[in-house]
Amino acid sequence: MQSAEVKQRLFNAVDELRPQLVQTLQELVRIPSVVGDEARAQQYIQKLYQDLGLTVEMVEPDMEAVRQHPGFIDTKVPYEGRPNVIGTLPGDEAAPSLVINGHVDVVSVEPRNLWPRDPWSGEVEGGRLHGRGSADMKSGLIANYFALKAALKAGLRPKGMVRLMSVIDEEAGGAGGTLACLLAGYRADALLITEPHGMNVTIANAGVNHFRVYLKGRSAHGGTSHLGVNAIGKVLPIYQALADLDEKRGREVKYPLFEKGSGRSCHVTVGTLHAGDWPSTVPGDAVMECRISFVPGETREEIRALVENTVAQAASTDPWLQEHPPKVEWFAWQTSPWQQDPEHHFVQALMSAAVDVAGRPVDFIGRASGLDSRFAPDFGMVAACTGPKGANIHGIDEYVELDSVVDTAKVVALAMLNWCGVAD
């Protein structure tokens, strides 16, 4: 760990760069980068990395390589024209190396009309910077850049190699982003991701599986609707069974790190319902798209069986569904839980940095959602996450607290030197 003098030099350098940090974050938030349309934002990041003197590479995902990996998630969005950006600062090969990762892609701003301000404004008010992606996670991405910039400004060059990695596709599962970069050989001994975690250190995330439930009805004209079977009505017992399963698992399945980080360990969510296409036609089919998360110790096989049995049991109470049983299809996210040993030297180096910056005890937490850190074990890498504090993530009027972005830059910078060492 670093001396008090080194810490002070480092923190002073970050503080001096704060106006640049805020301006840079504003500029990046003002570039829309919804999943599938990240290229312009990545060009902005490319220039930042070049200006810092890094060796910069633009890496488009290799679909064939990524498809072969068990962590692949097929989003049906092509990878062409969607590069990842990697900026490398060489170091002593004998010293520990580090990838500092963040994603530039964001989710949709819809319903845009409900935002109280332009969702791409980057507006600063009351110490908060507003806009889609401000918290999740352009602030973390920019904090990573200013962490390295501050260290170099302070004359504290990391001894080991450091890679800044700006990735696409995280919101859709990460296969074209972090996974593609690791498969292409852009690795290190450790992986640090600055997702918005309120300055806590995240060492676990839930398994996440998506599934569809298909239901059949019988179409009919609205004038003779008594001859039809409305598929929407047949959804209701299945929906209620999944809602009951969600309540039961929320009550009974406990994983302390997730309880601490997300307030609850697991969830079953019915996210979409599609049925019918005309007001005067009885819909003859319906489909629900759903998500279930699960904790370390549970397996994908167990979770699939649980969902399929829940749907089948609900269908068994309805004569129509007995004769026309719903079909469950698993798609998109199919990931297992991830957990990291908190005693690993890298995790302790990050925790020490977080405590030094916060000036108080910092918690180890887990998240009841998916994180790109889950890919690290497949490549022999240790991983952990920390990041700034924000609110309304994926929601209306997303924002990040600027003080926490500055603190994140300090944590990342100090953790980097704690782990990689300082060059002579």
Side-chain angles (χ1 to χ4, degrees):
M1 306 307 168
Q2 302 305 313
S3 68
E5 186 268 337
V6 166
K7 293 175 190 176
Q8 197 58 55
R9 284 168 57 192
L10 194 60
F11 296 166
N12 287 345
V14 174
D15 287 334
E16 290 168 9
L17 290 169
R18 178 180 178 131
Q20 288 185 38
L21 182 155
V22 173
Q23 180 182 347
T24 304
L25 179 55
Q26 283 183 300
E27 290 174 356
L28 186 58
V29 169
R30 288 169 181 160
I31 303 173
S33 54
V34 175
V35 177
D37 187 25
E38 305 97 338
R40 192 157 68 93
Q42 290 292 58
Q43 290 167 1
Y44 181 89
I45 295 293
Q46 177 189 26
K47 187 175 187 309
L48 288 181
Y49 290 0
Q50 288 171 339
D51 289 347
L52 200 55
L54 306 180
T55 300
V56 181
E57 296 168 269
M58 305 286 277
V59 181
E60 284 194 8
D62 181 340
M63 173 62 86
E64 291 310 309
V66 174
R67 190 183 294 278
Q68 301 305 313
H69 191 275
F72 173 68
I73 296 171
D74 189 357
T75 65
K76 310 300 183 184
V77 181
Y79 291 144
E80 291 77 12
R82 302 172 60 201
N84 298 292
V85 187
I86 300 165
T88 301
L89 182 70
D92 185 340
E93 293 184 1
S97 56
L98 178 64
V99 167
I100 310 176
N101 171 295
H103 66 86
V104 77
D105 60 304
V106 302
V107 299
S108 167
V109 300
E110 296 302 332
R112 183 169 182 157
N113 65 300
L114 297 183
W115 284 68
R117 68 194 85 223
D118 181 351
W120 309 109
S121 69
E123 180 180 327
V124 174
E125 181 181 350
R128 297 170 174 174
L129 191 150
H130 297 257
R132 172 60 81 230
S134 56
D136 187 17
M137 66 162 290
K138 292 181 178 181
S139 54
L141 190 59
I142 294 304
N144 296 344
Y145 169 75
F146 277 93
L148 183 53
K149 184 169 185 173
L152 297 177
K153 174 182 172 66
L156 299 167
R157 184 186 177 97
K159 185 175 183 179
M161 178 193 69
V162 174
R163 280 196 166 114
L164 298 183
M165 184 179 287
S166 175
V167 301
I168 64 166
D169 205 44
E170 190 276 347
E171 297 291 2
T178 300
L179 177 58
C181 291
L182 297 178
L183 282 169
Y186 296 97
R187 307 170 192 169
D189 296 313
L191 171 65
L192 171 58
I193 302 179
T194 45
E195 288 276 9
H197 291 170
M199 305 303 294
N200 293 305
V201 174
T202 299
I203 55 171
N205 71 254
V208 175
N209 287 182
H210 288 182
F211 62 96
R212 296 186 180 101
V213 183
Y214 293 93
L215 298 105
K216 289 183 178 181
R218 180 191 294 136
S219 296
H221 189 285
T224 55
S225 61
H226 62 287
L227 301 177
V229 176
N230 196 312
I232 294 175
K234 298 307 173 183
V235 164
L236 300 180
I238 309 301
Y239 171 85
Q240 191 58 54
L242 293 173
D244 291 344
L245 178 63
D246 175 56
E247 190 278 330
K248 181 175 187 292
R249 282 178 57 77
R251 186 178 65 250
E252 297 178 356
V253 178
K254 303 293 183 183
Y255 187 75
L257 288 174
F258 295 169
E259 296 287 313
K260 191 181 295 184
S262 295
R264 190 170 134 176
S265 293
C266 58
H267 304 80
V268 183
T269 306
V270 178
T272 71
L273 169 60
H274 302 281
D277 60 3
W278 194 250
S280 63
T281 299
V282 175
D285 61 6
V287 58
M288 294 190 298
E289 292 184 327
C290 313
R291 171 195 187 272
I292 185 168
S293 63
F294 55 108
V295 305
E298 295 183 308
T299 67
R300 276 191 271 182
E301 292 73 21
E302 292 170 346
I303 292 302
R304 287 188 174 194
L306 175 63
V307 167
E308 291 169 4
N309 289 339
T310 298
V311 170
Q313 185 172 0
S316 71
T317 65
D318 181 285
W320 174 266
L321 292 178
Q322 288 177 18
E323 295 184 14
H324 306 84
K327 175 186 174 185
V328 177
E329 174 187 82
W330 299 89
F331 76 105
W333 278 73
Q334 301 297 316
T335 66
S336 297
W338 161 78
Q339 54 185 343
Q340 175 64 55
D341 179 6
E343 297 303 318
H344 191 283
H345 176 53
F346 169 70
V347 179
Q348 289 298 312
L350 175 58
M351 174 58 81
S352 174
V355 169
D356 282 340
V357 172
R360 57 171 173 78
V362 173
D363 282 335
F364 282 124
I365 65 169
R367 300 304 292 263
S369 54
L371 295 168
D372 278 0
S373 47
R374 71 184 184 277
F375 297 124
D378 291 345
F379 300 92
M381 299 168 64
V382 57
C385 307
T386 193
K389 183 178 181 181
N392 303 330
I393 292 169
H394 289 208
I396 303 302
D397 198 24
E398 179 181 350
Y399 68 82
V400 68
E401 297 182 8
L402 287 171
D403 285 348
S404 75
V405 184
V406 173
D407 283 347
T408 297
K410 292 177 179 178
V411 171
V412 172
L414 183 54
M416 174 180 66
L417 297 184
N418 284 347
W419 174 246
C420 297
V422 179
D424 298 332

